[in-house]
Amino acid sequence: MSPAASSPPATTDLIVSANDAKYQRVEGRDTYPEAAGPDTLTVLDASGFPPSVVATVEVEHSIAGPPQAVAITPDGRLAIVAAPDRYDRAAGRTVPGTFLQLVDLAAAPPRVVGRVELGCHPQGLAIAPDGRLLLAATLGGSLAVLVIDGGRVTLKTMLALSTGRLSGVAFTPDGTAALVGLRDEQGIVVLDVRGSEVTTERERVATGVAPYAIDVSRDGGWAVVGNVGLAGLSNPGRLYGDVDTVTLIDVRRRPFRAVQHLTVPALPEGVALSPDGRWIAVQAMAGSNLAVDNPGRRAKGRVLLFAIRDGAAVPAGDLPGGEAGQGIVFTADSRFVIAQFNVEHELAVFAVDDGALRDTGVRITVPGGPASIRAKPR
């Protein structure tokens, strides 16, 4: 980090959206336009309404993978971007990178200041509440454990967790545990965290098929997991928009336990818990990712809201979303939800008003298809 740079104010509610510009879904088909611009990181200040864009930084990113392949330190000084890839036009395929990108948010202007090589493709990211530890889930089944010291990020160890792919990862608010999704092996594995030491006794939590994005509430009561079903597995065959599930997990005491599986429209790509622990937001593709000749095709996805009452989640809102939507996140005050509309290249802002979900109509245009989104640890 630049010694002359100053951190954003502690009260700023920073949210970062990583955007894949090289990929464009057209009526459910994968395309890679030749005139596409660079992938980017959009930095938002959501401490006021409407949220405002404070910076845009060129990075490498991919839509492929859970929409939590980006993270930001609690002091707002550093963003980490995972899921790097590039498109090899001659070979007609994407080439995944094996590194993390470090973005100095305190620089003027913010910029990429380094890379950390991991040796395998990183996807889901999580930063500890104290800002000193970073976990990166990889496609190779190993979890990268990295130490953060100011602007420096150093790989400490690779912890083998699965013979299949990992997906999402999230810390508990006290920083003593973390949850990692076993995308192919199924379920959640719980990690024990003591300082920079990360271990596991293979404590497991049940989920639906192909656990993907994971979030934990600031009050330390709940975790939520989006299960993307057969679509999240290798070679799933032809799919028609079957319903999927979201799992509610009680994390108030060990061992953690799944207490409810919620039925939601197909592909709950993004899930989020409000910081106050009262609400669950889900962004489901609901068939909007399918080709036009598929009978399960729908023009738009759904944005859902659930209220947590008496230890269970109950439906509280269901509104039209975007086409093939990706990640979703709450603002720090739990009053607004920001959803990534991938095909539209927009961040859509919804409000939680008197226990109901309302589309504010606010749309923030980003340069590329938004694919991953995260807020500061809260």
Side-chain angles (χ1 to χ4, degrees), residues 110-290:
R111 59 184 182 273
V112 175
V113 292
R115 293 181 174 184
V116 181
E117 178 60 46
L118 301 183
C120 50
H121 186 66
Q123 297 212 323
L125 300 179
I127 293 177
D130 65 6
R132 298 179 181 177
L133 200 64
L134 168 68
L135 302 180
T138 76
L139 291 184
S142 293
L143 184 81
V145 179
L146 303 102
V147 175
I148 302 174
D149 182 8
R152 297 177 56 205
V153 178
T154 306
L155 177 63
K156 176 180 172 63
T157 189
M158 298 291 287
L159 183 63
L161 296 180
S162 176
T163 56
R165 297 167 295 176
L166 305 181
S167 51
V169 56
F171 281 94
T172 56
D174 62 7
T176 64
L179 293 79
V180 182
L182 305 180
R183 179 174 172 179
D184 295 315
E185 193 174 328
Q186 310 307 317
I188 297 294
V189 64
V190 180
L191 309 179
D192 297 296
V193 183
R194 299 175 183 84
S196 63
E197 297 298 321
V198 180
T199 58
T200 182
E201 297 296 326
R202 299 295 299 183
E203 177 184 331
R204 295 287 296 275
V205 183
T207 66
V209 176
Y212 215 49
I214 305 173
D215 200 17
V216 182
S217 60
R218 181 176 60 194
D219 68 353
W222 303 103
V224 66
V225 182
N227 308 298
V228 294
L230 295 180
L233 303 181
S234 299
N235 303 315
R238 186 165 169 82
L239 302 176
Y240 300 93
D242 299 325
V243 296
D244 286 313
T245 61
V246 168
T247 301
L248 182 64
I249 300 173
D250 185 342
V251 294
R252 290 173 291 185
R253 62 187 63 87
R254 301 285 292 272
F256 301 154
R257 296 181 309 113
V259 296
Q260 190 177 11
H261 300 296
L262 306 167
T263 300
V264 297
L267 272 175
E269 183 81 10
V271 297
L273 273 160
S274 61
D276 63 12
R278 297 177 59 197
W279 310 102
I280 301 169
V282 179
Q283 178 158 221
M285 291 189 183
S288 64
N289 61 306
L290 300 176

Side-chain angles (χ1 to χ4, degrees), residues 221-371:
W222 303 103
V224 66
V225 182
N227 308 298
V228 294
L230 295 180
L233 303 181
S234 299
N235 303 315
R238 186 165 169 82
L239 302 176
Y240 300 93
D242 299 325
V243 296
D244 286 313
T245 61
V246 168
T247 301
L248 182 64
I249 300 173
D250 185 342
V251 294
R252 290 173 291 185
R253 62 187 63 87
R254 301 285 292 272
F256 301 154
R257 296 181 309 113
V259 296
Q260 190 177 11
H261 300 296
L262 306 167
T263 300
V264 297
L267 272 175
E269 183 81 10
V271 297
L273 273 160
S274 61
D276 63 12
R278 297 177 59 197
W279 310 102
I280 301 169
V282 179
Q283 178 158 221
M285 291 189 183
S288 64
N289 61 306
L290 300 176
V292 292
D293 61 349
N294 189 307
R297 165 77 180 183
R298 300 291 182 273
K300 298 293 183 182
R302 310 299 298 179
V303 176
L304 312 175
L305 184 71
F306 295 86
I308 301 177
R309 300 173 186 156
D310 302 322
V314 296
D318 181 347
L319 293 176
E323 185 177 352
Q326 294 294 299
I328 195 165
V329 70
F330 278 90
T331 56
D333 58 11
S334 301
R335 295 177 56 205
F336 297 96
V337 173
I338 301 176
Q340 293 182 310
F341 289 1
N342 179 262
V343 173
E344 297 88 340
H345 294 190
E346 292 176 339
L347 305 177
V349 183
F350 294 78
V352 181
D353 288 341
D354 298 323
L357 187 66
R358 175 175 62 88
D359 189 342
T360 69
V362 172
R363 301 292 187 267
I364 301 167
T365 301
V366 295

